[in-house]
Amino acid sequence: MKRYEDLSPSLRCIMTPGPVEVDPRVLRAMSFPVLGQFDPEFTGIMNETMEMLRELFATGNQWAYPVDGTSRSGIEAVMVSLIAPGDRVLIPIFGRFGHLLHEIAERCGAEVQVIEKTWGSVFDADEVIAAMDSFKPQVVAIVHGETSTGRVQPLAEIGRACRERDALLIVDAVATIGGVPVETDAWMLDAVIGGTQKCLSVPSGMAPVTYNARAEAKLLARKQVERGLRTGSEREGGLPPVRSNYLDLSMLQDYWSPLRLNHHTEMTSMLYALREGLRLTLEEGLAPRFARHKLHEQALLAGLAAMGLELYGDPASKLTVVTCVLIPEGVDGEAVRSMLLERFGIEIASSFGPLKGLIWRIGTMGFSCRENNVLRLLGALEAVLLRHGHILPAGQGVQAALDVYEAQGG
Amino acid sequence: MKRYEDLSPSLRCIMTPGPVEVDPRVLRAMSFPVLGQFDPEFTGIMNETMEMLRELFATGNQWAYPVDGTSRSGIEAVMVSLIAPGDRVLIPIFGRFGHLLHEIAERCGAEVQVIEKTWGSVFDADEVIAAMDSFKPQVVAIVHGETSTGRVQPLAEIGRACRERDALLIVDAVATIGGVPVETDAWMLDAVIGGTQKCLSVPSGMAPVTYNARAEAKLLARKQVERGLRTGSEREGGLPPVRSNYLDLSMLQDYWSPLRLNHHTEMTSMLYALREGLRLTLEEGLAPRFARHKLHEQALLAGLAAMGLELYGDPASKLTVVTCVLIPEGVDGEAVRSMLLERFGIEIASSFGPLKGLIWRIGTMGFSCRENNVLRLLGALEAVLLRHGHILPAGQGVQAALDVYEAQGG
């Protein structure tokens, strides 16, 4: 029999748009012994997590809980539960993850209309509203922070327009939650999906979602209690049942409610991690946390500029937590990334589709978003670029970042 | 702002049919710092995990990897990927989790036929074969170990019959994998789903699956590369695409293959836990591990019998790792469970549907399946029953279990 070695992963400085480094306190939380899923102590932890998620999403919604899967499972859960087959769904696309929303909506059996914006920019609210007025969607689904292009889409006006036109607005805030403001109630977002492995700095594995009473009404119209647990006919509404069992929010909310109607077996250790990540986030405070993300972005930008590197995309819509850097002419982007990882233990990201080979993507998210990481990265990137024969003003990048920190008293 | 307390879950002795206690070495594995999802060190861990899963499933299949979600996500992933809308699906039901397979198949758009067996027993292969010969299903889906009734369904003859009739056989081995033999290849099972939080004793959060080339052929006929990653039309086959994106095995296998086509962000810490749980399982050896589960079951049964407690169900089909005990006349089953949990820190399970209030379910699974747990439970159960006024031969239960261990030199 083959003997497998002890697990012993290397320590990395992870400056990608996720997954990012995890606070040791969150890692420690996962090493606690597990509780049973219906142990009152455990259901207490579930309730506390819901309370913390309401704060995170800036909402008074009753429903705020994690879907048990990666971020994408949360997106699909919201879409498959809120989009009935045949529904008209409008999807404004300004990067790769907009295409994912299109893909999922299509698999839900929706009649999809997309509008596309050139990558590197975002929509004016008017463009989305005009499309709504012509297509008259029941659902609009849009990405808040596009990690593929490093852009952030303003949502307040779109939210109001959806409310006025009685469309449900679904927002993918996977990349933004915990790093930049996501105002669920103030912006009138009907359903929002957050990610764990980005600005919350919890390992990948859960997808916090929230949705309001308008969204819940649609869920209840599709609700069907599971075979094996039914006591009567148990169809409550007139719309067709959700096509998924695992991702059916009408069932998940019964599990997360005092009913505790058995569904899946809640992921104990991931929930411990999420609760600890949320505790640390709320202890830091959302506003100071957003300010921290802004500060380290500014230091990074100053450093990159001082090295003579240029950024990709429209500056007006830049997403604080992802910085897209144009790979300089003549430089092999993948060779630079490999050397950063292999010699310095620092990871930055490549890119998707039309941007492949053209940009690097640098994340400043959550626990990874801190001064020593920014300074290490700038120093290492300079050294690697010099090693690849790229000419730049040596020494300037780190100095410029230090200037930003010192100006802020950092 | 409300201050949340430090996480500090109590230590429990968990003798339910899952989730069960986790080996401290597995808990420790989750506290390692994370790697990026495309870090070569991480993809190396992914590959090793696949290799270990092949051993666990006793298969030469190329595909053996975890779905990122709880066990139920693995069941749904296999079903939604292998059942095209309109497919004829036969589901033999002998407990609650058979009803779940029915529920999921229905949501997949299948034409479902069920055959039901009285709870507490399992099917003769001939009964399943007769139903196949009349209904001519394309897919048969069945539970291997029913935790709701504590029964195990023999599968070898059903496997051969499915192969001869060209039906795909999907097996829910969530409760059995790692605790009793699951012979994927020898029994001709086309797709098998295992659980982590039961006999493997890894926290809930991943669902290992395996499937063979017959199953893969059907996947490839439904394959559709994701929008945003497509380079051409990228429909490969003639069957309708899978209705889920998150649970589409044709996409998951591209992510787990050397292609590494981006899909979800693999759950880093859960994968560390799974790898460590598999390492410990394979280090113990499958045959000795199955023998260990048998030994502790025998000690438990001897102890329960000596206390005068009776078992539920047909003894011929008893599942080693779940013991269903009839609640004695006049005893409040839930009061006993609560006192066990609150005063002794020991958890046993209640039951579902028609068995509610009639039986307790005791698990002897994975890391929870050990002498000190069995002895503690028997002693505590005796004390709690006495405290509830139930008359029994005091002191006999633990002695009988000790006799079993001493007879085995344990």
Side-chain angles (χ1 to χ4, degrees), chain A residues 180-292:
Chain A
V180 304
V182 176
E183 294 284 345
T184 303
D185 291 357
W187 298 345
M188 301 188 190
L189 317 180
D190 296 300
V192 184
I193 305 100
T196 56
Q197 79 279 10
K198 298 180 188 276
C199 300
L200 280 183
S201 284
V202 167
S204 170
M206 286 194 147
V209 300
T210 188
Y211 50 88
N212 60 19
R214 300 176 78 225
E216 191 188 4
K218 189 152 185 183
L219 293 182
L220 294 180
R222 308 187 69 187
K223 187 171 175 180
Q224 176 177 283
V225 173
E226 182 170 313
R227 284 180 182 279
L229 297 179
R230 282 180 211 171
T231 50
S233 86
E234 316 248 358
R235 279 303 314 284
E236 305 197 355
L239 292 176
V242 174
R243 283 179 171 184
S244 172
N245 168 289
Y246 188 66
L247 300 173
D248 182 341
L249 297 180
S250 75
M251 304 175 91
L252 290 176
Q253 73 178 35
D254 279 348
Y255 179 55
W256 283 86
S257 82
L259 279 180
R260 297 287 170 215
L261 203 56
N262 188 238
H263 186 254
H264 61 281
T265 299
E266 187 54 23
M267 295 179 173
T268 320
S269 308
M270 280 304 307
L271 190 70
Y272 290 173
L274 177 60
R275 183 196 178 281
E276 184 67 2
L278 291 169
R279 192 181 71 79
L280 298 177
T281 298
L282 299 176
E283 190 177 273
E284 178 175 7
L286 291 176
R289 191 174 177 93
F290 301 150
R292 168 167 65 84

Side-chain angles (χ1 to χ4, degrees), chain B residues 286-299:
Chain B
L286 290 176
R289 190 173 178 94
F290 301 150
R292 168 166 66 82
H293 280 85
K294 196 73 206 163
L295 169 64
H296 296 297
E297 179 216 29
Q298 291 303 311

Side-chain angles (χ1 to χ4, degrees), chain A residues 5 10 12 39 41 70 72 76 96 103 106-107 204 226-227 244-246 248 262 265 275, chain B residues 5 10 12 39 41 72 76 96 103 106-107 204 226-227 244-246 248 262 265 275:
Chain A
E5 281 174 26
S10 299
R12 300 288 198 226
D39 191 315
E41 215 174 291
T70 71
R72 177 178 290 234
E76 184 164 319
R96 181 203 158 183
E103 170 86 19
E106 203 173 51
R107 293 193 185 214
S204 170
E226 182 170 313
R227 284 180 182 279
S244 172
N245 168 289
Y246 188 66
D248 182 341
N262 188 238
T265 299
R275 183 196 178 281
Chain B
E5 283 175 25
S10 299
R12 298 290 198 224
D39 191 316
E41 216 176 290
R72 178 177 289 233
E76 184 163 321
R96 182 203 157 183
E103 169 88 18
E106 203 172 51
R107 293 194 185 213
S204 170
E226 181 169 313
R227 283 178 184 281
S244 172
N245 168 288
Y246 188 66
D248 181 341
N262 189 237
T265 299
R275 183 196 179 280

Side-chain angles (χ1 to χ4, degrees), chain B residues 126-144:
Chain B
D126 288 346
E127 297 172 297
V128 177
I129 293 168
M132 289 179 68
D133 285 339
S134 92
F135 182 57
K136 306 211 181 309
Q138 282 127 323
V139 175
V140 177
I142 193 166
V143 172
H144 185 217

Side-chain angles (χ1 to χ4, degrees), chain B residues 371-392:
Chain B
E371 180 172 341
N372 53 35
N373 271 9
V374 169
L375 296 176
R376 281 177 200 164
L377 169 62
L378 287 169
L381 184 57
E382 175 186 303
V384 173
L385 284 171
L386 287 172
R387 205 71 182 171
H388 279 76
H390 179 67
I391 294 162
L392 53 73

Side-chain angles (χ1 to χ4, degrees), chain A residues 58-255:
Chain A
T59 185
N61 287 344
Q62 176 182 7
W63 300 115
Y65 55 82
V67 172
D68 278 12
T70 71
S71 309
R72 177 178 290 234
S73 75
I75 296 172
E76 184 164 319
V78 167
M79 294 184 79
V80 77
S81 299
L82 292 180
I83 299 172
D87 276 1
R88 287 186 309 282
V89 179
L90 174 69
I91 302 181
I93 298 176
F94 57 100
R96 181 203 158 183
F97 292 97
H99 287 290
L100 175 62
L101 300 182
H102 181 187
E103 170 86 19
I104 295 174
E106 203 173 51
R107 293 193 185 214
C108 293
E111 183 190 331
V112 181
Q113 175 158 317
V114 305
I115 51 176
E116 292 196 49
K117 195 81 189 175
T118 312
W119 286 31
S121 58
V122 300
F123 288 92
D124 289 331
D126 288 345
E127 297 171 297
V128 176
I129 292 168
M132 287 179 70
D133 285 338
S134 95
F135 182 56
K136 307 211 181 305
Q138 282 125 323
V139 175
V140 176
I142 194 166
V143 172
H144 185 215
E146 252 296 350
T147 55
S148 65
T149 61
R151 298 302 107 183
V152 64
Q153 172 68 53
L155 293 173
E157 279 184 70
I158 296 172
R160 194 177 327 107
C162 286
R163 191 66 52 97
E164 286 164 3
R165 287 158 184 79
D166 198 27
L168 287 175
L169 177 57
I170 298 174
V171 172
D172 167 356
V174 167
T176 48
I177 199 80
V180 304
V182 176
E183 294 284 345
T184 303
D185 291 357
W187 298 345
M188 301 188 190
L189 317 180
D190 296 300
V192 184
I193 305 100
T196 56
Q197 79 279 10
K198 298 180 188 276
C199 300
L200 280 183
S201 284
V202 167
S204 170
M206 286 194 147
V209 300
T210 188
Y211 50 88
N212 60 19
R214 300 176 78 225
E216 191 188 4
K218 189 152 185 183
L219 293 182
L220 294 180
R222 308 187 69 187
K223 187 171 175 180
Q224 176 177 283
V225 173
E226 182 170 313
R227 284 180 182 279
L229 297 179
R230 282 180 211 171
T231 50
S233 86
E234 316 248 358
R235 279 303 314 284
E236 305 197 355
L239 292 176
V242 174
R243 283 179 171 184
S244 172
N245 168 289
Y246 188 66
L247 300 173
D248 182 341
L249 297 180
S250 75
M251 304 175 91
L252 290 176
Q253 73 178 35
D254 279 348
Y255 179 55

Side-chain angles (χ1 to χ4, degrees), chain B residues 45-59:
Chain B
I45 293 172
M46 291 172 73
N47 289 342
E48 259 185 355
T49 304
M50 292 179 77
E51 203 180 311
M52 292 168 162
L53 284 175
R54 287 184 199 107
E55 280 194 58
L56 177 73
F57 282 115
T59 186

Side-chain angles (χ1 to χ4, degrees), chain B residues 186-267:
Chain B
W187 298 345
M188 301 188 189
L189 316 180
D190 296 300
V192 184
I193 305 101
T196 56
Q197 79 280 12
K198 298 179 187 276
C199 299
L200 279 183
S201 283
V202 168
S204 170
M206 287 195 144
V209 301
T210 188
Y211 50 88
N212 61 20
R214 299 176 77 224
E216 191 188 5
K218 190 153 185 183
L219 294 182
L220 294 179
R222 308 186 68 187
K223 187 171 176 179
Q224 175 178 284
V225 172
E226 181 169 313
R227 283 178 184 281
L229 298 179
R230 281 180 211 170
T231 51
S233 87
E234 314 249 359
R235 280 301 316 282
E236 303 199 356
L239 291 176
V242 174
R243 284 180 171 184
S244 172
N245 168 288
Y246 188 66
L247 300 173
D248 181 341
L249 297 180
S250 75
M251 304 175 92
L252 289 176
Q253 74 178 34
D254 279 349
Y255 178 54
W256 283 86
S257 81
L259 278 180
R260 298 285 169 216
L261 203 56
N262 189 237
H263 185 253
H264 60 282
T265 299
E266 188 54 22
M267 294 178 174

